[in-house]
Coordinates of all heavy atoms in Angstrom, one line a residue:
L168 N -4.5 -16.5 15.4 CA -5.7 -15.8 15.9 C -6.7 -15.5 14.8 O -6.3 -15.0 13.7 CB -5.3 -14.6 16.7 CG -6.4 -13.7 17.1 CD1 -7.1 -14.2 18.3 CD2 -5.8 -12.3 17.5
L170 N -9.6 -12.7 14.7 CA -10.1 -11.6 15.4 C -11.4 -11.2 14.8 O -11.4 -10.7 13.6 CB -9.1 -10.4 15.4 CG -9.5 -9.1 16.0 CD1 -10.0 -9.3 17.5 CD2 -8.4 -8.1 15.9
L172 N -14.6 -9.1 14.3 CA -15.1 -7.7 14.6 C -16.4 -7.5 13.8 O -16.9 -6.4 13.7 CB -14.1 -6.6 14.2 CG -12.7 -6.7 14.9 CD1 -11.8 -5.6 14.4 CD2 -12.9 -6.6 16.4
A192 N -11.4 -14.7 18.8 CA -11.8 -13.7 19.8 C -12.8 -12.8 19.2 O -12.6 -12.2 18.2 CB -10.6 -12.9 20.3
V194 N -15.0 -9.6 19.6 CA -14.8 -8.4 20.3 C -16.0 -7.5 20.3 O -16.6 -7.3 19.2 CB -13.6 -7.6 19.7 CG1 -13.4 -6.2 20.4 CG2 -12.3 -8.4 19.9
R195 N -16.4 -7.0 21.5 CA -17.4 -6.0 21.6 C -16.7 -4.7 22.2 O -15.8 -4.8 22.9 CB -18.5 -6.4 22.6 CG -19.3 -7.6 22.1 CD -20.5 -7.8 23.1 NE -20.1 -7.9 24.5 CZ -20.9 -7.9 25.5 NH1 -22.2 -7.9 25.3 NH2 -20.5 -8.0 26.8
T212 N -14.0 2.5 17.4 CA -13.0 1.9 18.3 C -12.5 0.6 17.6 O -11.2 0.3 17.7 CB -13.5 1.6 19.7 OG1 -14.0 2.8 20.2 CG2 -12.5 1.0 20.6
K213 N -13.3 -0.1 17.0 CA -12.8 -1.3 16.3 C -11.8 -1.0 15.2 O -10.8 -1.6 15.0 CB -14.0 -2.1 15.7 CG -14.8 -2.9 16.7 CD -16.0 -3.6 16.1 CE -16.7 -4.4 17.2 NZ -17.9 -5.2 16.7
R215 N -9.9 1.6 15.2 CA -8.7 2.1 15.9 C -7.9 0.8 16.4 O -6.6 0.8 16.3 CB -9.0 3.0 17.0 CG -9.5 4.3 16.6 CD -9.7 5.3 17.8 NE -10.5 6.4 17.4 CZ -11.7 6.6 17.8 NH1 -12.3 5.8 18.6 NH2 -12.4 7.7 17.4
I216 N -8.6 -0.1 16.9 CA -7.9 -1.4 17.4 C -7.1 -2.0 16.2 O -6.0 -2.4 16.4 CB -8.9 -2.3 17.9 CG1 -9.4 -1.8 19.3 CG2 -8.4 -3.8 18.1 CD1 -10.6 -2.6 19.8
V217 N -7.8 -2.2 15.1 CA -7.1 -2.8 13.9 C -5.9 -2.0 13.5 O -4.8 -2.5 13.2 CB -8.1 -3.0 12.8 CG1 -7.3 -3.6 11.6 CG2 -9.2 -4.0 13.2
S219 N -4.1 0.1 15.3 CA -3.1 -0.1 16.4 C -2.3 -1.3 16.2 O -1.0 -1.3 16.3 CB -3.7 0.0 17.8 OG -4.4 1.2 18.0
L220 N -3.0 -2.4 15.9 CA -2.3 -3.7 15.8 C -1.4 -3.7 14.5 O -0.3 -4.2 14.5 CB -3.3 -4.9 15.7 CG -4.0 -5.2 17.0 CD1 -5.2 -6.1 16.7 CD2 -3.1 -5.7 18.1
I225 N 1.9 -6.0 15.5 CA 1.5 -7.1 16.4 C 0.6 -8.1 15.8 O -0.5 -7.7 15.3 CB 0.9 -6.5 17.7 CG1 1.9 -5.5 18.4 CG2 0.5 -7.6 18.7 CD1 1.3 -4.7 19.5
P227 N -1.0 -11.3 17.3 CA -1.1 -12.3 18.4 C -1.4 -13.7 17.9 O -2.2 -13.8 16.9 CB -2.3 -11.7 19.2 CG -2.4 -10.3 18.9 CD -2.0 -10.2 17.4
P230 N -6.1 -15.7 21.5 CA -6.9 -14.7 22.2 C -6.2 -14.1 23.5 O -6.3 -12.9 23.8 CB -8.2 -15.4 22.6 CG -8.3 -16.4 21.5 CD -6.9 -16.9 21.2
G231 N -5.5 -15.0 24.2 CA -4.8 -14.5 25.4 C -3.8 -13.5 25.1 O -3.6 -12.5 25.8
E232 N -3.0 -13.7 24.0 CA -2.0 -12.8 23.6 C -2.6 -11.5 23.1 O -2.1 -10.4 23.2 CB -1.1 -13.4 22.5 CG -0.2 -14.5 23.0 CD 0.8 -15.0 22.0 OE1 1.0 -14.2 21.0 OE2 1.3 -16.1 22.1
L233 N -3.8 -11.6 22.5 CA -4.5 -10.4 22.0 C -4.9 -9.5 23.2 O -4.7 -8.3 23.1 CB -5.8 -10.8 21.2 CG -6.7 -9.7 20.9 CD1 -6.1 -8.8 19.8 CD2 -8.1 -10.2 20.5
V234 N -5.4 -10.1 24.2 CA -5.8 -9.3 25.4 C -4.6 -8.6 26.0 O -4.6 -7.4 26.3 CB -6.4 -10.2 26.5 CG1 -6.6 -9.5 27.8 CG2 -7.8 -10.8 25.9
E235 N -3.4 -9.3 26.1 CA -2.2 -8.7 26.6 C -1.8 -7.5 25.7 O -1.4 -6.5 26.1 CB -1.1 -9.7 26.7 CG -1.4 -10.8 27.8 CD -0.3 -11.8 27.8 OE1 0.8 -11.6 27.1 OE2 -0.4 -12.8 28.5
A236 N -1.8 -7.8 24.3 CA -1.4 -6.8 23.4 C -2.3 -5.5 23.5 O -1.8 -4.4 23.4 CB -1.4 -7.3 22.0
L237 N -3.6 -5.7 23.5 CA -4.5 -4.5 23.6 C -4.3 -3.7 24.9 O -4.3 -2.5 24.8 CB -6.0 -5.0 23.5 CG -6.4 -5.6 22.2 CD1 -7.9 -6.1 22.3 CD2 -6.3 -4.6 21.1
R238 N -4.0 -4.4 26.0 CA -3.7 -3.7 27.2 C -2.4 -2.9 27.1 O -2.3 -1.7 27.6 CB -3.7 -4.6 28.4 CG -5.1 -5.2 28.8 CD -5.0 -6.3 29.8 NE -6.4 -6.6 30.2 CZ -6.7 -7.8 30.8 NH1 -5.8 -8.7 31.1 NH2 -8.0 -8.0 31.1
E239 N -1.4 -3.5 26.5 CA -0.1 -2.8 26.3 C -0.3 -1.6 25.4 O 0.4 -0.6 25.5 CB 0.9 -3.7 25.7 CG 1.4 -4.8 26.7 CD 2.3 -5.8 26.0 OE1 2.7 -5.6 24.8 OE2 2.8 -6.7 26.7
L240 N -1.3 -1.6 24.4 CA -1.6 -0.5 23.5 C -2.5 0.5 24.2 O -2.8 1.5 23.6 CB -2.2 -1.1 22.3 CG -1.3 -1.8 21.3 CD1 -2.2 -2.6 20.3 CD2 -0.3 -0.9 20.7
G241 N -2.9 0.3 25.4 CA -3.6 1.3 26.2 C -5.1 1.1 26.3 O -5.8 2.0 26.8
Y242 N -5.6 0.0 25.8 CA -7.0 -0.3 25.9 C -7.4 -0.9 27.2 O -6.6 -1.7 27.7 CB -7.5 -1.2 24.7 CG -7.3 -0.5 23.3 CD1 -6.2 -0.7 22.6 CD2 -8.3 0.3 22.8 CE1 -6.1 -0.1 21.3 CE2 -8.2 0.9 21.6 CZ -7.1 0.7 20.8 OH -6.9 1.3 19.6
E243 N -8.6 -0.6 27.7 CA -9.1 -1.3 28.9 C -9.9 -2.5 28.4 O -10.9 -2.3 27.6 CB -10.0 -0.3 29.7 CG -10.6 -1.0 31.0 CD -11.4 0.0 31.7 OE1 -11.6 1.2 31.4 OE2 -12.0 -0.5 32.8
V244 N -9.5 -3.6 28.8 CA -10.1 -4.9 28.3 C -10.6 -5.8 29.4 O -9.9 -6.0 30.4 CB -9.0 -5.6 27.4 CG1 -9.6 -6.9 26.8 CG2 -8.5 -4.7 26.3
E245 N -11.7 -6.4 29.1 CA -12.2 -7.5 30.0 C -12.4 -8.7 29.1 O -12.9 -8.6 27.9 CB -13.5 -7.2 30.6 CG -13.4 -6.0 31.7 CD -14.8 -5.7 32.3 OE1 -15.8 -6.2 31.8 OE2 -14.8 -4.9 33.2
A246 N -11.9 -9.9 29.5 CA -12.0 -11.0 28.6 C -12.3 -12.3 29.4 O -12.1 -12.4 30.6 CB -10.6 -11.3 28.0
V258 N -14.2 -10.9 24.3 CA -13.4 -9.9 24.6 C -14.1 -8.6 24.6 O -14.6 -8.2 23.5 CB -12.1 -9.8 23.7 CG1 -11.2 -8.6 24.1 CG2 -11.3 -11.1 23.8
D259 N -14.2 -7.8 25.7 CA -14.9 -6.5 25.7 C -13.8 -5.4 25.9 O -13.0 -5.5 26.8 CB -15.9 -6.5 26.9 CG -17.1 -7.4 26.7 OD1 -17.3 -7.7 25.5 OD2 -17.8 -7.7 27.7
V260 N -13.9 -4.4 25.0 CA -13.1 -3.3 25.1 C -13.9 -2.1 25.7 O -15.0 -1.8 25.1 CB -12.5 -2.9 23.8 CG1 -11.7 -1.6 23.9 CG2 -11.6 -4.0 23.2

Side-chain angles (χ1 to χ4, degrees):
L168 170 73
L170 176 55
L172 303 177
V194 175
R195 298 187 305 173
T212 303
K213 286 179 176 179
R215 293 187 193 106
I216 286 170
V217 177
S219 296
L220 293 170
I225 299 173
E232 290 186 22
L233 171 70
V234 172
E235 293 178 6
L237 291 178
R238 288 173 176 161
E239 289 176 1
L240 289 168
Y242 294 96
E243 182 180 355
V244 180
E245 294 178 352
V258 177
D259 290 340
V260 176

